[in-house]
Amino acid sequence: MTDFLPTGIQLTYLVAASLFILGLKKLGSPATARAGNVWAAVGMFLAIVATLLDRQVLNYEMILIAIAIGSVIGAVVAYKVAMTEMPQMVGLLNGLGGAASALVAVGEFWRLLGSGEPISLDSNISMLLDVLIGGVTFTGSFIAFAKLQGIMSGSPITFSLQQPFNASLLIGYVVGSGFLILDPGNLPIFLGIVVISLILGVMFVIPIGGGDMPVVISLLNSFSGLAAAAAGFVVMNNMLIISGALVGASGLILTQIMCKAMNRSLANVLFSAFGTGSGAAAGAAGGATDQTVHSIDAEEGAMMLGYARSVVIIPGYGMAVAQAQHAVRELADQLDRLGVEVKYAIHPVAGRMPGHMNVLLAEANVPYPQLYDMDDINPQFDQTDVALVIGANDVVNPAARHDSASPIYGMPILDVDRAKHTIVIKRGMSTGFAGVENELFYKDKTMMLFGSAKDMVAKLVSEVKQL
Amino acid sequence: MTETLIAALFVFVLASFTGFEVINKVPPTLHTPLMSGSNAISGIAVLGAIVVSGERNTSLTVILGLIAVILATVNVVGGFLVTDRMLQMFKKKEAKA
């Protein structure tokens, strides 16, 4: 596959790679983001056309049919998906990219076997890496998809001897790779490597719970890029290597941001099966049970909100699940009508993927300047009359600030307890993802509104209308 | 290691640094679009799939390659379109504000 490619194709690749870099740069700023996406899409189009002109490519009809099928499916999915389902969508697309990359390695291996060409050490190692990264991305993303879609339970799945089992899989991969390098073209071992890689992907994601999904999704995003780069090494194509490296880097940056927002290391997120029966969580729960909770109804809640001067809304995953973003916007509009200043406080890991809340609020037409990041809003809670928490839990738990025994200790939180009053909309008293009792609910100035986010916000809207 | 591989490694490492530099400091609002946009770019694997399925015969290689072409195209087209859909929402809202 190191055949000479005509200069024109390579120059087109150069243009396409530049378009990717410029497109990604533009994607980083709100004003230019849409143009950036278009630039990247044009780059992709050029790269695909150039590759079809490659003289090795003779099978035009079939390939064009395959591209047409893929385009139709992709377009239909992209237009049908609801904004609340965006995390699953991104997860699914990651998986497809990973699968495609892994298939490139398997196909190339098969071609080399059939042609009788000797398999060089370079391409052997490239294929092994491609199968591993692509395979893990493929099955890992599908498990993430199943968890987010609710096909599988979102809680961490662990079993005894899990770590030894994973370790033996890894050893199996390394030993198998060693054999394959000594004996290139050994089909059974190659297939074994493929199977091990696929199982590793499953094992990698099942112990990770729903609340850690922002980290997993961005990490898998990074992997899908690395898989494409590995496929680039297999067919020795610079375009794949460059694009894969770019995506790998961007995914890694997002992963870092997410980990930082939870004050946890990547290793801790991946291997700790957070929130499963740790002693600290049980202890915290025990200490809180004898405290009382102030429950109010929608009418009282509406009074508090309507007569406040400033209200900060804190949306969480519960708002996404209930699809309550439009109702929330309506409530904000009604409050605005009464002269209440409304702001939204967005925690970096609220929801199930990076930026999840921003997308939902954008769908509901919430004006961009009303959204505040954690660092900007926290100093303002002192001057806030009412903090309205909708479906968020761990990200507003004050225990993260002072209780060093709590599993979430040290995680940066939104300081809603510093507002004059806090209203929490919640289905019941169940704990959040981390399995930790939230002391915020027991504070004197915290009022609980029990009910589903959508119903409760709708009730608040109709009550506020009557003020 | 062959010269080709070394050259490819250079390209990989330099492109990674470029990626880190270009994408640093993205505001949280754009995290999701950035992720789905870069996700679409990772569908570049379609190029490898095209090369692998290029031969004019029906071997397993070609079949695997064609499946890879379909999957990667779904990734590319779905990724870019869904990103555009999201960014369109941001746009609309900015115009109002």
Side-chain angles (χ1 to χ4, degrees):
Chain A
M1 277 293 155
T2 50
D3 289 339
F4 171 75
L5 293 171
T7 322
I9 294 180
Q10 291 298 346
L11 289 179
T12 312
Y13 282 168
L14 191 59
V15 173
S18 310
L19 284 171
F20 281 173
I21 293 172
L22 292 171
L24 280 172
K25 187 160 180 62
K26 284 173 176 284
L27 264 175
S29 150
T32 55
R34 204 171 170 201
N37 188 48
V38 174
W39 282 43
V42 171
M44 180 66 76
F45 179 75
L46 289 178
I48 291 175
V49 171
T51 311
L52 284 170
L53 296 176
D54 190 323
R55 58 183 176 170
Q56 281 177 344
V57 178
L58 303 167
N59 199 3
Y60 296 106
E61 306 88 341
M62 300 296 285
I63 291 174
L64 285 174
I65 291 172
I67 288 179
I69 295 173
S71 304
V72 171
I73 300 174
V76 170
V77 174
Y79 281 110
K80 288 240 156 134
V81 66
M83 283 300 146
T84 40
E85 291 167 351
M86 203 49 77
Q88 296 87 303
M89 171 81 179
V90 173
L92 192 68
L93 292 176
N94 273 335
L96 296 181
S101 301
L103 281 174
V104 169
V106 178
E108 175 71 4
F109 184 82
W110 200 266
R111 189 189 69 82
L112 288 170
L113 271 190
S115 71
E117 286 172 43
I119 301 175
S120 70
L121 181 64
D122 290 359
S123 64
N124 211 340
I125 294 175
S126 307
M127 284 188 291
L128 284 168
L129 282 177
D130 189 4
V131 166
L132 176 68
I133 306 172
V136 167
T137 311
F138 172 47
T139 49
S141 298
F142 273 85
I143 298 290
F145 170 79
K147 285 192 168 204
L148 290 164
Q149 185 75 25
I151 301 169
M152 252 174 89
S153 155
S155 50
I157 298 172
T158 50
F159 52 87
S160 54
L161 294 181
Q162 193 162 13
Q163 301 299 356
F165 180 68
N166 291 346
S168 56
L169 279 176
L170 267 180
I171 294 170
Y173 175 82
V174 172
V175 172
S177 301
F179 268 106
L180 207 62
I181 286 168
L182 294 177
D183 178 19
N186 188 327
L187 187 61
I189 290 185
F190 184 78
L191 292 179
I193 293 278
V194 173
V195 173
I196 288 179
S197 303
L198 294 176
I199 300 176
L200 269 173
V202 176
M203 299 308 297
F204 161 60
V205 179
I206 58 168
I208 301 174
D212 286 339
M213 277 301 156
V215 177
V216 175
I217 294 279
S218 27
L219 191 64
L220 286 170
N221 186 36
S222 179
F223 279 4
S224 74
L226 293 179
F233 279 98
V234 170
V235 295
M236 274 305 161
N237 182 316
N238 278 337
M239 189 66 213
L240 267 84
I241 298 175
I242 295 172
S243 325
L246 290 173
V247 178
S250 93
L252 212 55
I253 289 177
L254 281 177
T255 311
Q256 276 175 343
I257 296 176
M258 293 301 116
C259 284
K260 217 169 136 195
M262 298 197 295
N263 190 38
R264 293 166 61 198
S265 70
L266 183 56
N268 180 280
V269 174
L270 297 183
F271 303 118
S272 73
F274 201 58
T276 48
S278 72
T289 41
D290 52 346
Q291 299 177 32
T292 49
V293 166
H294 307 274
S295 170
I296 56 170
D297 61 18
E299 197 185 342
E300 289 171 79
M303 301 273 261
M304 287 174 67
L305 291 168
Y307 292 113
R309 265 177 298 118
S310 57
V311 170
V312 174
I313 297 175
I314 299 95
Y317 183 55
M319 182 190 82
V321 174
Q323 309 224 3
Q325 66 270 29
H326 295 282
V328 169
R329 161 79 209 255
E330 218 187 323
L331 177 62
D333 284 350
Q334 288 302 325
L335 291 175
D336 188 55
R337 187 181 58 85
L338 295 172
V340 183
E341 189 192 11
V342 181
K343 292 171 183 171
Y344 297 82
I346 315 287
H347 194 278
V349 293
R352 290 293 183 263
M353 71 177 167
H356 195 180
M357 293 301 127
N358 303 76
V359 171
L360 293 183
L361 292 174
E363 190 201 9
N365 276 323
V366 172
Y368 179 68
Q370 287 183 8
L371 306 187
Y372 287 79
D373 299 341
M374 181 165 60
D375 297 336
D376 297 328
I377 198 77
N378 267 344
Q380 299 186 31
F381 276 114
D382 287 332
Q383 296 103 48
T384 300
D385 291 325
V386 182
L388 177 62
V389 179
I390 305 173
N393 192 343
D394 294 329
V395 298
V396 294
N397 191 343
R401 280 201 310 260
H402 63 77
D403 181 3
S404 58
S406 171
I408 59 168
Y409 178 67
M411 171 169 139
I413 59 158
L414 292 162
D415 298 327
V416 294
D417 55 322
R418 295 197 170 142
K420 295 195 182 72
H421 292 280
T422 308
I423 299 179
V424 179
I425 298 179
K426 210 172 172 311
R427 280 178 173 279
M429 284 307 289
S430 62
T431 56
F433 161 70
V436 191
E437 197 72 40
N438 193 338
E439 62 178 57
L440 174 72
F441 304 158
Y442 301 100
K443 297 218 168 194
D444 280 342
K445 50 184 189 176
T446 302
M447 311 291 154
M448 303 297 290
L449 265 175
F450 289 113
S452 101
K454 198 171 188 175
D455 297 346
M456 204 35 89
V457 175
K459 274 185 201 160
L460 283 175
V461 171
S462 62
E463 293 289 344
V464 170
K465 269 186 188 163
Q466 294 168 23
L467 288 177
Chain B
M1 283 204 276
T2 61
E3 240 170 83
T4 338
L5 184 62
I6 302 272
L9 278 175
F10 264 95
V11 170
F12 176 74
V13 173
L14 293 179
S16 300
F17 279 111
T18 311
F20 278 113
E21 285 304 315
V22 166
I23 296 149
N24 242 329
K25 305 249 184 245
V26 174
T29 308
L30 289 173
H31 281 169
T32 302
L34 173 70
M35 199 168 56
S36 59
S38 62
N39 179 240
I41 293 181
S42 75
I44 192 76
V46 69
L47 265 58
I50 291 175
V51 173
V52 164
S53 51
E55 286 175 35
R56 189 176 271 285
N57 55 25
T58 31
S59 62
L60 182 63
T61 299
V62 173
I63 294 168
L64 290 175
L66 288 174
I67 295 173
V69 170
I70 295 178
L71 297 183
T73 316
V74 174
N75 186 352
V76 168
V77 175
F80 281 127
L81 287 180
V82 92
T83 308
D84 191 63
R85 222 182 112 197
M86 260 186 279
L87 292 170
Q88 201 176 359
M89 294 182 332
F90 290 138
K91 197 88 188 171
K92 189 173 60 187
K93 180 191 57 186
E94 267 165 27
K96 264 189 188 175

